[in-house]
Amino acid sequence: MSDRVYIFDTTLRDGEQSPGASMNTNEKLRLAIRLEKLGVDVLEAGFPAASEGDFDAVSKIAAKLERTEVAGLCRANKNDIDKAWNAVKHAKKPKIHTFIATSDIHLEYKLKMSREEVLQSAVDAVKYARSLTDRVEFSAEDGSRSDRDFLCKIFGAAIEAGATVVNLPDTVGYAIPGEFAEMAKYVIEHTPNMHKAILSVHCHNDLGLATANTLAAIGAGARQAEVTVNGIGERAGNTSLEEVVMALRTRQNYMPMQTGIVTEEIYPVSRLVSMITGIIVQPNKAIVGANAFAHEAGIHQDGMLKNPMTYEIMKPETIGLSSGKLVLGKHSGRHALRSRLKELGYELSDEELNSAFTRFKELADKKKHVLDEDLEVIVTEGILRTAEIFKLEYLHVSAGTSVMPMASVELDISGRKVRGADWGNGPIDSAFNTIAKLTGTESELLRFTVSALSGGTDAQGEVTVRLRENGLVALGRGADPDIITASAKAYINGLNRLEYLKTHPITDRQTL
Ligand code: KIV
Ligand code: ZN
């Protein structure tokens, strides 16, 4: 059996199904370019039949990537497959990923179909997809709760119909590692013609076992892992890319298998995903959390000084975490900015660099040391968010122990300048009230968090908000040395994301 494990990244599809984590086409394209640099083998770019926005993003990504297979997800019907194919067909390596549920629960209550009907739909779908491209993956949704023999039968029929990958998902995150490994082994041993295809696994993290289940299945012979960066995804998320890749790399002595991932790209890509989606990585998250390489206890620090191997199983540099974080300052020039951004993985056009440089100078006036984290904010807020409807032009707040908190705000709304003022029960509340009034929006603030982007009293404040309006939920993120400005930026970013969702309805996602 081959020792190569293929990494199928679904950050842009299953990851985007994280509540509130929608990304616009520009953001998705940027991320896709970085995922290709990271070395993922397959990039699932979206679900083209779900919305025009998804179709457009998948199509743009397909046109852009050079080496990575670009997959479009589709249900097992002709209309969905046609949409997926039309979105990916111009890719260098197009792929169709079709799926249907196989568990009795899904058959009885969701699909209202018999096993025979499901089997036939799967075969028809794979055959049709295969008439369009040689790269076809078939997934048995809710596979982990499906009858094992039915799974083997449907996988065998899908392989016979032309599937090159068959995927066993733990859709609801129900499996336990030993059990999931047994299931993968059973499938490999009992599926007719299994040697003609690769067994893939796709786990969700409802019991916190997604990585463990994925590794257990790889141990049993699966050779593709479906993952997302930072483990984002539906409910408790998907298997996290960085955990699987670093486990395989770190435990070569136990699992001697290779991936094509350039591990030094892991941390920058993790940051980018967090910046774009607004989903902050928990500090104790394995591999990419802020504390993942921090040694607090004295006894640990002492050991680390004597020999890092005492307490460190991975080197921070391996995932692209540089120790020398100080980068640029007030006197740094355009060339230094371009080369540092390039090191961080951002290749900007001349026009984008000009805009980034202006923002960099503004920040360097307020803050002595401009760190990598600050540069990421400059790029993600200044360059990636070009299509936003609402932009903050001016903010003034007055607050204190003996004044009524008031905010004056000027916004650019699709090129039109509007101004207004309002009060609230604090400076942030008054800024939010004024922005809501000017934009004519009535969103509910579900969550508000503030943290520091780096150390030091001059660190930028990073704010995330979660907003809901008419049943739509969006996250917003903003950073600034002034936390009230950061809050206003986050709120406006959230409103822009809500506007995007209003104009790009995701019609079919809830059926997944
Ligand atoms: O979780 C799941 O079952 C999926 C499939 C579409 C592969 O995301
Ligand atoms: Zn999934």
Side-chain angles (χ1 to χ4, degrees):
M1 188 173 283
S2 155
D3 62 1
R4 175 72 154 83
V5 174
Y6 295 96
I7 297 296
F8 176 114
D9 181 273
T10 183
T11 308
L12 294 173
R13 200 277 298 171
D14 228 349
E16 207 212 7
Q17 286 176 220
S18 306
S22 65
M23 305 173 225
N24 67 34
T25 302
N26 192 16
E27 291 166 336
K28 286 186 182 174
L29 194 56
R30 288 271 174 179
L31 190 50
I33 294 168
R34 293 296 295 278
L35 288 166
E36 175 160 84
K37 199 163 173 225
L38 176 67
V40 305
D41 298 289
V42 189
L43 186 149
E44 183 160 68
F47 179 20
S51 70
E52 279 177 26
D54 254 36
F55 183 94
D56 184 46
V58 176
S59 171
K60 290 209 166 79
I61 291 167
K64 187 79 188 171
L65 299 194
E66 296 286 334
R67 303 179 301 280
T68 316
E69 291 187 359
V70 180
L73 181 70
C74 45
R75 287 164 296 193
N77 67 61
K78 188 170 177 304
N79 178 50
D80 264 37
I81 298 172
D82 282 336
K83 289 242 169 66
W85 175 240
N86 286 328
V88 298
K89 66 182 175 196
H90 44 282
K92 296 254 169 22
K93 296 182 183 170
K95 186 163 207 160
I96 295 178
H97 177 195
T98 185
F99 75 96
I100 191 162
T102 50
S103 66
D104 289 338
I105 293 187
H106 278 234
L107 264 59
E108 186 177 346
Y109 297 102
K110 188 179 90 171
L111 299 176
K112 303 198 188 322
M113 285 167 86
S114 67
R115 286 190 184 179
E116 288 64 39
E117 286 167 329
V118 165
L119 184 89
Q120 194 55 53
S121 299
V123 169
D124 293 346
V126 172
K127 270 196 188 143
Y128 182 54
R130 191 58 206 253
S131 73
L132 303 169
T133 174
D134 288 348
R135 297 183 184 87
V136 177
E137 170 169 331
F138 169 71
S139 284
E141 192 193 7
D142 206 19
S144 61
R145 294 194 301 165
S146 302
D147 176 76
R148 289 182 182 198
D149 292 318
F150 180 54
L151 256 187
C152 297
K153 194 168 168 190
I154 202 165
F155 279 163
I159 295 170
E160 178 74 26
T164 47
V165 178
V166 286
N167 180 37
L168 170 59
D170 182 24
T171 304
V172 290
Y174 179 73
I176 300 289
E179 173 199 37
F180 199 57
E182 268 170 37
M183 192 165 199
K185 188 164 177 281
Y186 189 88
V187 165
I188 291 171
E189 286 170 359
H190 294 87
T191 297
N193 285 324
M194 190 64 229
H195 64 281
K196 291 190 183 162
I198 288 175
L199 178 67
S200 168
V201 286
H202 172 117
C203 299
H204 282 265
N205 205 28
D206 300 63
L207 293 174
L209 294 170
T211 300
N213 284 330
T214 301
L215 291 172
I218 291 172
R223 283 295 175 268
Q224 178 173 281
E226 302 203 354
V227 294
T228 61
V229 175
N230 298 340
I232 63 169
E234 193 83 45
R235 308 181 308 278
N238 287 57
T239 306
S240 108
L241 178 148
E242 58 279 7
E243 292 176 13
V244 170
V245 168
M246 289 312 290
L248 291 177
R249 186 181 157 135
T250 308
R251 295 306 312 275
Q252 281 290 301
N253 57 342
Y254 187 71
M255 298 186 87
M257 283 160 227
Q258 270 62 36
T259 69
I261 296 296
V262 180
T263 58
E264 290 72 17
E265 290 292 319
I266 287 178
Y267 185 70
V269 174
S270 157
R271 289 288 309 165
L272 184 62
V273 168
S274 172
M275 292 278 169
I276 287 180
T277 58
I279 302 177
I280 286 183
V281 174
Q282 75 197 57
N284 58 328
K285 163 85 177 64
I287 320 293
V288 292
N291 296 345
F293 291 90
H295 298 271
E296 196 75 20
I299 190 167
H300 287 206
Q301 289 174 350
D302 181 54
M304 285 289 293
L305 289 173
K306 289 179 174 142
N307 184 343
M309 278 167 68
T310 50
Y311 286 103
E312 203 166 69
I313 58 165
M314 297 165 274
K315 288 195 170 48
E317 309 85 86
T318 318
I319 63 147
L321 243 181
S322 61
S323 44
K325 285 203 162 181
L326 176 63
V327 269
L328 304 172
K330 195 172 169 152
H331 302 294
S332 307
R334 198 177 297 260
H335 181 69
L337 178 67
R338 188 193 279 281
S339 74
R340 186 61 196 152
L341 286 174
K342 201 164 168 216
E343 278 164 26
L344 290 174
Y346 300 104
E347 305 225 16
L348 303 188
S349 66
D350 287 345
E351 199 187 324
E352 288 170 339
L353 184 75
N354 284 345
S355 152
F357 190 64
T358 310
R359 285 168 181 266
F360 161 70
K361 283 287 176 193
E362 279 165 15
L363 184 64
D365 273 341
K366 294 186 200 161
K367 194 172 182 285
K368 196 167 166 212
H369 298 141
V370 180
L371 308 176
D372 290 350
E373 290 87 342
D374 300 316
L375 295 181
E376 281 168 347
V377 170
I378 287 174
V379 176
T380 48
E381 289 195 353
I383 313 296
L384 299 185
R385 292 192 194 160
T386 43
E388 296 195 326
I389 297 177
F390 308 125
K391 289 195 187 111
L392 180 66
E393 293 286 314
Y394 168 87
L395 169 70
H396 174 84
V397 282
S398 49
T401 48
S402 52
V403 285
M404 161 113 72
M406 279 292 294
S408 321
V409 177
E410 182 177 298
L411 295 182
D412 177 315
I413 305 186
S414 304
R416 190 172 47 92
K417 305 273 188 248
V418 292
R419 271 187 216 159
D422 207 344
W423 62 276
N425 64 12
I428 293 173
D429 190 44
S430 56
F432 284 12
N433 288 344
T434 315
I435 293 165
K437 204 160 80 179
L438 291 175
T439 53
T441 52
E442 288 182 352
S443 66
E444 186 188 346
L445 181 65
L446 301 178
R447 199 178 67 205
F448 175 85
T449 52
V450 191
S451 56
L453 206 52
S454 56
T457 50
D458 70 345
Q460 295 204 70
E462 184 176 38
V463 175
T464 56
V465 297
R466 191 179 169 89
L467 305 177
R468 179 166 58 201
E469 193 177 5
N470 296 330
L472 298 171
V473 175
L475 294 169
R477 207 194 132 276
D480 196 273
D482 171 61
I483 60 158
I484 298 166
T485 308
S487 305
K489 285 181 176 174
Y491 188 60
I492 291 170
N493 179 234
L495 293 180
N496 277 311
R497 284 174 188 268
L498 280 174
E499 289 305 305
Y500 181 81
L501 290 178
K502 283 180 206 165
T503 49
H504 294 76
I506 302 168
T507 46
D508 285 325
R509 234 166 240 183
Q510 44 278 40
T511 64
L512 263 181

